[in-house]
């Protein structure tokens, strides 16, 4: 059988004929990489733009939020693991209650909600960029109706496909989960590297930083870090320092961790920790926000 390499994200999975990659979404069909979940959505909701969170992009507006299935990370604290985890955990994507929503229909649905303050579509809930072809087609259809496209993403995407998508994207909220490759390697493989999994040359943090740099030159961006007790508190001020080098006006959101998924036995982030870290980040950035307190 002929194998094919997927070049969408830095996993660079080599897929056998009929096989899928790390994300469980992208498959090799006769030598061509295709998304098994193209047009399959896990949920659609009209949300305040601030819920993404985007505080400096059309404040007070609504945005039609759409989610899909799958992810190219394995964060042990994932709050949407029921739609993000690859098969067979918990089930094949098509068996998780999704429905098909073609790009043109999604764009028309967004337009339908315009009288209620909707400005466009936000691709969110799971990691939208692994359903790259669907997001690209939707973004074009939405742009054709003079509406906005918003990405809520982990930004683990290679530069070339991102470059092709950027002309249709108006705003992004980007998860910058930590500030070391070691920390990212834990998230990539679900908490720890399995003993059977050899270390990979997998520059996850470098990829995310590159995506942020690319995006900042082309659209509005805001950045979010989930603060996890005992895990990434020491990363917050270095993140703020690095973001300030791009622009001290980039809004930075610190989110409070609550027990989830494989971290269900951990305590929530103390409010005092968030206040302390926000104060440190404000030494470098003009706009630092605390969420979920």
């Amino acid at each position: 059988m002929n194998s094919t390499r997927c070049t969408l994200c830095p996993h660079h999975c080599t897929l056998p004929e009929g096989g899928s990659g790390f994300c469980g979404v992208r498959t090799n069909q006769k030598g061509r990489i295709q998304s098994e979940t193209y047009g399959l959505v896990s949920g659609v909701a009209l949300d305040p733009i601030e819920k993404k969170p985007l505080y400096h992009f059309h404040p007070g507006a609504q945005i039609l939020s759409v989610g899909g299935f799958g992810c190219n990370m394995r964060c042990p604290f994932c709050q949407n693991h029921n739609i993000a985890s690859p098969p067979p955990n918990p089930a094949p994507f098509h068996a998780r209650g999704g429905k098909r929503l073609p790009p043109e229909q999604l764009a028309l649905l967004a337009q339908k909600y315009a009288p209620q303050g909707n400005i466009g579509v936000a691709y969110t809930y799971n990691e939208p960029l692994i359903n790259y072809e669907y997001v690209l087609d939707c973004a074009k259809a939405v742009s054709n109706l003079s509406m906005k496209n918003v990405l809520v993403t982990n930004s683990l995407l290679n530069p070339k496909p991102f470059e092709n998508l950027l002309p249709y994207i108006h705003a992004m909220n980007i998860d910058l989960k930590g500030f070391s490759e070691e920390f990212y390697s834990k998230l990539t493989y679900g908490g720890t590297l399995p003993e059977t999994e050899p270390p990979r040359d997998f520059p996850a943090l470098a990829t995310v930083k590159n995506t942020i740099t690319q995006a900042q030159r082309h659209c509005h961006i805001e950045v979010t870090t989930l603060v996890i007790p005992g895990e990434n508190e020491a990363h917050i001020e270095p993140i703020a320092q690095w973001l300030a080098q791009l622009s001290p006006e980039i809004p930075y959101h610190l989110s409070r961790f609550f027990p989830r998924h494989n971290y269900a036995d951990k305590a929530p982030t103390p409010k005092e920790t968030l206040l302390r870290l926000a104060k440190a980040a404000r030494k470098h950035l003009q706009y630092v926000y605390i969420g979920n307190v």
Side-chain angles (χ1 to χ4, degrees), residues 25-73:
V25 167
R26 306 185 67 75
T27 62
N28 175 4
Q29 301 296 331
K30 298 181 179 179
R32 181 181 177 186
I33 301 296
Q34 296 183 345
S35 173
E36 192 173 79
T37 59
Y38 184 97
L40 186 66
V41 302
S42 57
V44 180
L46 191 64
D47 290 328
I49 194 76
E50 289 82 3
K51 192 176 178 180
K52 298 304 100 188
L54 289 170
Y55 285 9
H56 291 229
F57 183 75
H58 294 271
Q62 300 288 304
I63 192 91
L64 187 67
S65 300
V66 60
F69 291 93
C71 188
N72 56 354
M73 297 188 72

Side-chain angles (χ1 to χ4, degrees), residues 77 226-229 255-260 263-264 266-269:
F77 45 79
L226 179 70
V227 180
I228 307 165
S255 292
R256 189 182 186 194
F257 165 82
F258 290 96
R260 293 286 189 277
Y263 275 12
K266 286 184 174 286
T269 312

Side-chain angles (χ1 to χ4, degrees), residues 57 113 218:
F57 183 75
Y113 285 109
H218 291 87

Side-chain angles (χ1 to χ4, degrees), residues 50-213:
E50 289 82 3
K51 192 176 178 180
K52 298 304 100 188
L54 289 170
Y55 285 9
H56 291 229
F57 183 75
H58 294 271
Q62 300 288 304
I63 192 91
L64 187 67
S65 300
V66 60
F69 291 93
C71 188
N72 56 354
M73 297 188 72
R74 299 287 186 272
C75 298
F77 45 79
C78 181
Q79 63 179 352
N80 290 321
H81 59 91
N82 59 317
I83 62 172
S85 300
N89 180 24
F93 292 128
H94 59 79
R96 300 185 202 182
K99 63 179 182 179
R100 298 286 174 180
L101 187 60
E104 294 76 15
Q105 289 186 22
L106 176 62
L108 290 174
L109 185 62
Q111 189 178 54
K112 176 183 175 181
Y113 285 109
Q116 295 175 234
N118 181 45
I119 61 170
V121 174
Y123 309 92
T124 180
Y125 301 144
N126 71 313
E127 174 44 53
L129 291 177
I130 61 166
N131 298 292
Y132 176 82
E133 294 82 2
Y134 179 66
V135 171
L136 179 59
D137 291 346
C138 289
K140 290 178 179 178
V142 169
S143 292
N144 286 340
L145 296 179
S146 300
M147 302 190 81
K148 307 296 185 185
N149 290 293
V150 169
L151 280 174
V152 181
T153 173
N154 66 28
S155 290
L156 202 61
L157 185 75
N158 285 334
K160 184 60 178 178
F162 189 50
E163 180 183 324
N164 294 335
L165 178 62
L166 263 176
Y168 307 99
I169 301 301
H170 301 88
M172 297 175 64
N173 186 284
I174 300 168
D175 281 337
L176 184 49
K177 298 174 184 289
F179 214 57
S180 74
E181 292 290 359
E182 180 182 8
F183 183 71
Y184 262 94
S185 72
K186 291 170 62 178
L187 305 187
T188 304
Y189 294 101
T192 58
L193 281 170
E195 292 183 5
T196 56
E197 182 68 45
R200 297 184 184 182
D201 181 15
F202 187 82
L205 174 60
T207 301
V208 174
K209 289 172 67 178
N210 182 72
T211 305
I212 291 172
T213 302

Side-chain angles (χ1 to χ4, degrees), residues 10-28:
H11 279 289
H12 290 293
C13 297
T14 300
L15 312 182
E17 174 66 34
S20 61
F22 184 83
C23 63
V25 167
R26 306 185 67 75
T27 62
N28 175 4

Side-chain angles (χ1 to χ4, degrees), residues 223 225 236:
V223 175
T225 302
I236 302 306

